[in-house]
Amino acid sequence: MTLEALLPDDIATLAKRVVEENIAIGRKVALAESCTGGLVAAALTEVPGSSAVFDRGFVTYSNEAKMESLGVPLEIIETFGAVSIACAWAMAKGALEKSHADLAIAISGVAGPSGGSDLKPVGTVVFSRVCRGNKGEPEGELKRFEPTSRADIRRQATICALELLLP
């Protein structure tokens, strides 16, 4: 009997690499996911041995969840919106503070097919990366994926997040 893969090959291969390379350097990671809805966590936990790397994940889809679970200030959401580098940075910072991880990644975006605006059209996804002990500027990035489908935007966002978890 062969096991069927839960996720597409590109995601599964990248997740395996993330686990192996983080094991090699002894680093633990945490996630704060919104538009990906736990896909990054699912990808990591498909890899045998991922418990050596993956500390925990937070799926904070609503603004209330972002504030209650990760400590994202209401002012950030009201001023910049949930799909902003400021919000993603606060999400990643909160995930790091509430975990034993060395690195946290946050993802928030507009997967569609509705919910976009002129400033943040469908396909807009923001990412942030926070390392424990790093006193530098917050790391964040806004990407605009081609709005082909909700599933494709979420797949592309998952791949980008996994790449941010590589050493």
Side-chain angles (χ1 to χ4, degrees):
M1 181 174 137
T2 59
L3 295 174
E4 288 190 39
L6 178 64
L7 299 163
D9 287 345
D10 55 348
I11 290 175
T13 300
L14 185 53
K16 185 174 189 274
R17 203 174 132 212
V18 167
V19 169
E20 290 171 350
E21 291 185 21
N22 280 287
I23 285 174
I25 63 168
R27 183 166 72 179
K28 289 239 184 216
V29 302
L31 301 166
E33 298 184 67
S34 186
C35 68
T36 50
L39 284 172
V40 183
L44 291 176
T45 58
E46 272 296 288
V47 180
S50 59
S51 60
V53 169
F54 183 45
D55 181 61
R56 67 192 73 192
F58 301 86
V59 178
T60 54
Y61 208 69
S62 69
N63 290 344
E64 291 78 16
K66 289 172 180 64
M67 292 184 292
E68 292 168 11
S69 298
L70 299 172
V72 175
L74 176 61
E75 298 77 35
I76 285 179
I77 292 172
E78 287 180 339
T79 304
F80 303 105
V83 181
S84 65
I85 290 173
C87 184
W89 181 75
M91 289 168 64
K93 189 171 166 247
L96 195 64
E97 289 170 357
K98 295 176 183 294
S99 73
H100 300 287
D102 306 297
L103 171 72
I105 300 294
I107 310 106
S108 187
V110 185
S114 61
S117 66
D118 288 342
L119 287 175
K120 297 173 188 172
V122 170
T124 303
V125 182
V126 290
F127 302 86
S128 187
R129 182 176 198 250
V130 176
C131 296
R132 191 172 299 283
N134 188 349
K135 303 294 184 213
E137 290 294 310
E139 291 181 53
E141 184 175 6
L142 181 145
K143 289 191 176 263
R144 293 230 165 109
F145 298 116
E146 192 61 40
T148 51
S149 72
R150 179 178 180 83
D152 194 50
I153 291 166
R154 294 176 75 218
R155 184 189 69 74
Q156 290 180 70
T158 298
I159 289 169
C160 283
L162 287 168
E163 288 171 347
L164 288 171
L165 291 169
L166 290 169

